[in-house]
Structure formats: structure tokens, C-alpha cells
Amino acid sequence: MPQHTLPRPICGHCDGFPTVAITTGIRTPTGQRQTITANCPACRGTGHTTPAARAHTRIGA
């Protein structure tokens, strides 16, 4: 019987697009645009967030 894994929540900061290419405005000698890549700092380039750990609260004294 197959096991199903629950889908991980998508990162709210990057909406699932964790890595982007940004043009620098400079062209290479071959005429192509020079780009750099940037990763989402919240999910570290995975596109997913880990669910927050449950906080243990003490009830009573």
C-alpha cells in the first residue's frame, strides 16, 4: 500500500518561487546579459516552510 506524504506549506515570502535571476545591466562580450541568482532568505531557496513547532505552555501554577 503506498504511503502518502502531506504537502509542505509554500513559503509566504516568495510564494513558491525561491530562486530568481536578476540582471545586472551589464552585457558579456558575447552580447548576453549578465545575471546573478538570489535565494529567498526565509526558506533558504527551498520554496517551502517547515511548520512551526508547537510551543509548550504551562497551565496553572
Side-chain angles (χ1 to χ4, degrees), residues 4-59:
H4 299 286
T5 57
L6 296 174
R8 292 175 42 197
I10 293 176
C11 177
H13 296 275
C14 65
D15 290 329
F17 297 96
T19 304
V20 295
I22 303 169
T23 60
T24 60
I26 300 171
R27 293 203 179 252
T28 63
T30 61
Q32 298 176 346
R33 294 180 190 247
Q34 187 175 12
T35 61
I36 58 172
T37 57
N39 291 331
C40 174
C43 65
R44 296 188 180 108
T46 63
H48 298 284
T49 58
T50 55
R54 289 188 173 177
H56 295 286
T57 56
R58 185 173 178 181
I59 301 173

